Amino acid sequence: MVSEVQKKKLVHFFELLDSHKNGFLQSDDFSEIAERIRLGLGYEAGGEKHVFLAKKSAKFFHTLLNAISHENKQVISMQEWIDFIDTKIIHNDDEEYKEEFEEFIIGFLFDLFDDNHDGYISTDEYVDMFVVYGIDIKYSAKAFLKLDLNKDDKLSRNELLHSFEMFLFSDDPDQPGNWIFGNWED
Ligand SMILES: [Ca+2]
Ligand SMILES: [Ca+2]
């Protein structure tokens, strides 16, 4: 079982991935994200960058679907999402699988938001993530400060991996990593 703190975070995470807010993750939630980034960053429709984003998003959804859905459905419900992270990630002794999952999520965020490909998420790139996922931007500066452990004003892959691990596993409401996707508290 996940704790109340863990559940709150997983619900928050699910709700931001559910772009169309219908309670299910579906492929159009992910094509929508590619489209929002395209519009936000001014990429040409059907151009190289847009195609890259659309492909990465589609692949991300299908990898999740293969891992989570048991019934050959094309949707992931919130309960399936929580059960998957509960049993396969939080309460699983297979360290390699956990690490792969963390790398998979953070790698996806880098594909989408490391716009200048320098291997870091800058404050602007982090704000892009909030805007694209409809996360309240009021919390982006606070969240960034919590995640930037070495205070160099950029988020490295390791800082994000560490934060995401805390986001998944920690039961402590004061753990800084809880803030990776902004305000999870309400
Ligand atoms: Ca960058
Ligand atoms: Ca840093």
Side-chain angles (χ1 to χ4, degrees):
M1 282 270 285
V2 293
S3 70
E4 280 309 305
V5 168
Q6 287 167 331
K7 186 172 175 188
K8 214 168 185 180
K9 291 185 282 183
L10 294 180
V11 167
H12 174 65
F13 192 12
F14 182 93
E15 285 176 343
L16 68 90
L17 292 174
D18 179 16
S19 313
H20 292 102
K21 310 293 175 210
N22 71 346
F24 295 96
L25 303 185
Q26 288 155 296
S27 83
D28 63 355
D29 291 317
F30 295 84
S31 48
E32 169 73 19
I33 290 304
E35 182 65 10
R36 286 186 197 167
I37 297 174
R38 180 188 84 71
L39 290 170
L41 297 178
Y43 297 147
E44 182 196 346
E48 194 185 331
K49 292 216 168 182
H50 183 211
V51 170
F52 172 83
L53 291 169
K55 276 189 181 161
K56 288 286 177 187
S57 291
K59 187 158 180 251
F60 180 78
F61 174 66
H62 283 103
T63 306
L64 276 183
L65 196 64
N66 284 335
I68 298 176
S69 182
H70 306 291
E71 296 161 39
N72 224 2
K73 291 179 306 183
Q74 296 302 306
V75 303
I76 299 168
S77 69
M78 190 185 288
Q79 195 57 52
E80 286 174 316
W81 170 255
I82 291 171
D83 289 345
F84 167 75
I85 294 183
D86 181 1
T87 59
K88 298 283 195 263
I89 309 295
I90 297 177
H91 299 106
N92 183 353
D93 294 331
D94 186 344
E95 291 296 325
E96 213 170 302
Y97 191 82
K98 288 181 200 176
E99 273 172 36
E100 264 176 38
F101 181 74
E102 289 163 10
E103 298 267 357
F104 165 67
I105 299 285
I106 298 305
F108 179 62
L109 294 180
F110 269 89
D111 282 341
L112 262 51
F113 298 105
D114 180 15
D115 187 43
N116 67 353
H117 303 288
D118 68 349
Y120 292 92
I121 299 297
S122 66
T123 46
D124 286 351
E125 289 166 343
Y126 192 61
V127 168
D128 290 342
M129 180 180 90
F130 276 59
V131 172
V132 163
Y133 280 109
I135 308 169
D136 192 342
I137 201 168
K138 200 163 71 193
Y139 299 95
S140 65
K142 173 179 177 174
F144 191 93
L145 288 173
K146 285 179 182 284
L147 269 49
D148 182 17
L149 298 173
N150 69 349
K151 305 292 172 211
D152 65 352
D153 295 325
K154 51 193 186 180
L155 302 177
S156 66
R157 195 172 278 265
N158 279 338
E159 283 171 330
L160 282 167
L161 281 169
H162 174 75
S163 302
F164 184 56
E165 184 165 340
M166 294 300 121
F167 177 86
L168 290 173
F169 289 91
S170 178
D171 250 345
D172 175 3
D174 297 325
Q175 164 58 238
N178 296 346
W179 287 83
I180 185 168
F181 305 119
N183 185 19
W184 61 282
E185 288 179 322
D186 44 47

